[in-house]
Amino acid sequence: MSSSPPSMESLILQLHEISAVKFGNFKLKSGISSPIYIDLRLIVSYPSLLRQISQTLISAVPSSTPYDLLCGVPYTALPIATCISTSRDVPMLMRRKEVKDYGTAKAIEGDFSPGQVCLIIEDLVTSGASVLETAAPLRAAGLKVCDAVVLIDREQGGRENLEENGIRLHALFRLSEMVRVLKEKGKVAEETVAAVMRFLEENRRVAVPKVEKEKVRVKGLGFEERAKLSKNPTGKKLFEVMEKKKTNLCLAADVATAKELLDIAEKVGPEICLLKTHVDILPDFTPDFGSKLRSIAERHNFLIFEDRKFADIGNTVTMQYEGGIFHILDWADIVNAHIISGPGIVDGLKLKGLPRGRGLLLLAEMSSAGNLAKGDYTAAAVKIAEDHSDFVIGFISVNPASWPGAPVNPAFIQATPGVQMVTGGDALGQQYNTPKSVIYDRGSDIIIVGRGIIKAANPAEAAHEYRLQGWNAYLAKCSSN
């Protein structure tokens, strides 16, 4: 039978004994100066203590917390994670701090499958920056990261910063508890304790340092792999169409008549994965419009997205989706919705859409100047999507790479409107970005292009050029280090 984990007091005293706890004036990674420094790199030279810490640390994770894999934050936590992995027989991954430009050029080393849950192991947390730096490439590789366990919580905002990024922190003990034990055992002077406590009081929330994009950029998961993650048949099909046709272009077919729409759908159909409609602006709409458009979509292998932007309560949107004069449910593969009325809107649309295999995009951000879809609103959209991932296939977004906890679940598709060959805006507040900026820099998947194609002298040629630029940006993202 294995021995019981050592007490918190015993571990603190042992750490002090090997001089892993230092008092003085130290600059931390967060940039602030601290009167106390914890140097846990020393424990690799003390196998018995390393084993005790590892055994005790994993016991701080609630038994109800699921995980399939472990990943230690490089470098100090790597030996701790290794000990836990071998003693608990849990597979381990390693994150490279420096991704090489030769060999496999991987950011994450080890054997894993997208969708598995990875527990992050860390020695201590101040702002939480190191945990977030490790979580980013894990999430980009398709893994779920919801929890991190640390030996010491410095009580300086790390727990709150991680929570805002979707990660629960489990700590063996807090810095104030460590100092209290050392004081009670006569290991540290009263004035030193007072200095540490004053420091903690004055630095209750340390901001996460900004990290340059290129330091955390990792290879994006390909559409073929992401198709396997989708729980919705339409989401899966969209990924597959994109991969098969080598296109991530959506045409925003905002034309004046149904006849024009059907005509341009025929012309640009070979270049697109998705065609976006606003059916309520068509004065010549007839009941057979949907069947005619579906015939073109099937011939050229693209999906239909009615940009309805549902926003009412669940019961009302159910009727709007299925009935009225447009019968959107019958011909549109995908619709979208605001979440202003709460998750009930998804329940209402799902009631009719899911049995038909349809998919839903949530408006998480908008491309118009001064819009209110940002911050907490965006975070709420992500939460609703996760709760309804059998029906929600992704988001209308502008800069998903900037979202807290980014990158989000790769099973979700990101589609971004307001794309043109040059940046800028129009007189009505629409803001434009280039295909490369949207896909490579901002982390989106699909470029939604309207006027850049519709107003072109040759829409088919313009669509072909947008298709090439969008797809090349996607390939660059997938091969990026």
Side-chain angles (χ1 to χ4, degrees):
M1 181 180 292
S2 61
S3 58
S4 300
S7 68
M8 179 183 74
E9 181 179 289
S10 170
L11 287 180
I12 291 172
L13 292 175
Q14 289 183 75
L15 289 172
H16 181 265
E17 185 177 336
I18 66 170
S19 298
V21 185
K22 307 176 189 296
F23 296 95
N25 186 30
F26 308 92
K27 186 175 182 178
L28 305 180
K29 179 177 180 176
S30 57
I32 62 174
S33 294
S34 169
I36 184 171
Y37 182 67
I38 315 297
D39 185 5
L40 293 177
R41 288 169 294 189
L42 291 169
I43 64 176
V44 295
S45 298
Y46 300 87
S48 175
L49 179 56
L50 174 59
R51 187 167 52 251
Q52 291 177 58
I53 287 174
S54 304
Q55 178 185 1
T56 310
L57 185 62
I58 197 63
S59 68
V61 180
S63 59
S64 59
T65 300
Y67 56 90
D68 308 303
L69 306 160
L70 305 173
C71 185
V73 175
Y75 292 106
T76 307
L78 288 179
I80 301 175
T82 302
C83 284
I84 296 172
S85 174
T86 55
S87 65
R88 295 294 183 102
D89 197 26
V90 179
M92 175 179 154
L93 304 176
M94 290 196 300
R95 173 180 78 89
R96 285 185 176 274
K97 289 193 77 170
E98 303 86 16
V99 180
K100 308 300 183 184
D101 58 2
Y102 53 83
T104 61
K106 292 180 178 177
I108 302 297
E109 300 287 356
D111 188 14
F112 62 90
S113 299
Q116 287 185 296
V117 181
C118 187
L119 173 68
I120 291 181
I121 311 293
E122 176 64 303
D123 57 342
L124 56 83
V125 160
T126 303
S127 68
S130 294
V131 172
L132 293 175
E133 288 170 4
T134 295
L138 290 170
R139 285 171 163 170
L143 295 164
K144 296 179 181 179
V145 179
C146 304
D147 296 87
V149 60
V150 301
L151 183 66
I152 304 167
D153 177 5
R154 287 188 59 107
E155 304 173 88
Q156 294 176 264
R159 181 180 298 275
E160 293 79 8
N161 289 336
L162 292 174
E163 186 70 30
E164 289 175 1
N165 286 275
I167 299 175
R168 290 179 294 270
L169 181 66
H170 311 282
L172 197 56
F173 48 81
R174 299 188 300 273
L175 187 60
S176 59
E177 294 174 324
M178 170 178 271
V179 174
R180 177 182 56 77
V181 169
L182 293 176
K183 174 190 173 186
E184 291 175 354
K185 298 299 179 179
K187 303 295 184 180
V188 61
E190 182 72 42
E191 56 268 25
T192 301
V193 173
V196 172
M197 299 309 290
R198 184 167 57 252
F199 165 78
L200 291 178
E201 185 62 36
E202 294 172 354
N203 295 274
R204 283 293 175 192
R205 189 70 183 267
V206 177
V208 178
K210 289 187 180 296
V211 181
E212 295 297 321
K213 279 188 177 181
E214 53 267 29
K215 292 185 180 179
V216 298
R217 187 184 294 284
V218 296
K219 291 183 180 181
L221 209 59
F223 294 145
E224 186 175 8
E225 295 169 284
R226 292 171 64 184
K228 300 171 185 175
L229 302 178
S230 180
K231 298 178 183 178
N232 177 279
T234 291
K236 179 181 178 69
K237 182 178 179 181
L238 180 53
F239 277 129
E240 291 171 344
V241 167
M242 292 160 73
E243 182 64 37
K244 183 177 181 179
K245 292 182 67 176
K246 310 299 181 194
T247 176
N248 54 350
L249 172 63
C250 170
L251 172 67
D254 298 333
V255 291
T257 67
K259 184 180 183 304
E260 288 178 76
L261 193 153
L262 295 173
D263 181 59
I264 199 164
E266 189 70 67
K267 289 178 179 176
V268 306
E271 307 292 339
I272 63 176
C273 63
L274 195 60
L275 184 136
K276 183 173 77 72
T277 63
H278 277 297
V279 70
D280 55 358
I281 67 174
L282 305 175
D284 57 340
F285 174 86
T286 56
D288 62 352
F289 168 81
S291 60
K292 289 180 178 178
L293 183 57
R294 285 204 70 82
S295 178
I296 297 172
E298 289 167 8
R299 184 159 56 251
H300 295 299
N301 193 22
F302 63 80
L303 276 66
I304 303 168
F305 163 32
E306 164 56 24
D307 190 5
R308 178 61 178 78
K309 296 185 178 72
F310 291 105
D312 219 310
I313 61 173
N315 184 60
T316 301
V317 299
T318 299
M319 294 186 289
Q320 291 173 327
Y321 190 18
E322 183 181 37
I325 63 172
F326 299 122
H327 295 279
I328 296 168
L329 178 61
D330 290 339
W331 51 269
D333 300 290
I334 300 166
V335 292
N336 59 354
H338 291 286
I339 60 161
I340 192 69
S341 59
I345 191 171
V346 178
D347 292 323
L349 294 168
K350 183 176 175 178
L351 183 66
K352 298 296 182 180
L354 190 57
R356 299 282 292 270
R358 306 307 195 201
L360 176 68
L361 293 170
L362 296 183
L363 284 114
E365 294 179 295
M366 296 185 72
S367 57
S368 53
N371 78 85
L372 304 179
K374 58 187 70 175
D376 290 344
Y377 185 93
T378 301
V382 174
K383 175 65 167 60
I384 291 173
E386 289 285 1
D387 292 342
H388 296 273
S389 58
D390 57 342
F391 184 52
V392 177
I393 66 170
F395 307 95
I396 299 298
S397 56
V398 175
N399 189 6
S402 69
W403 296 359
V408 299
N409 187 340
F412 292 128
I413 294 165
Q414 303 280 353
T416 299
V419 179
Q420 287 200 357
M421 293 300 187
V422 295
T423 57
D426 67 13
L428 297 178
Q430 174 68 294
Q431 304 298 301
Y432 293 109
N433 288 286
T434 65
K436 183 177 185 297
S437 169
V438 166
I439 302 297
Y440 187 79
D441 297 323
R442 299 185 174 213
S444 192
D445 301 310
I446 294 176
I447 55 172
I448 302 177
V449 182
R451 280 169 271 187
I453 294 174
I454 292 171
K455 301 295 184 183
N458 188 322
E461 287 184 3
H464 183 70
E465 182 59 32
Y466 273 103
R467 170 190 176 181
L468 291 179
Q469 290 209 17
W471 192 255
N472 286 337
Y474 158 72
L475 293 178
K477 183 170 67 172
C478 287
S479 62
S480 172
N481 293 330

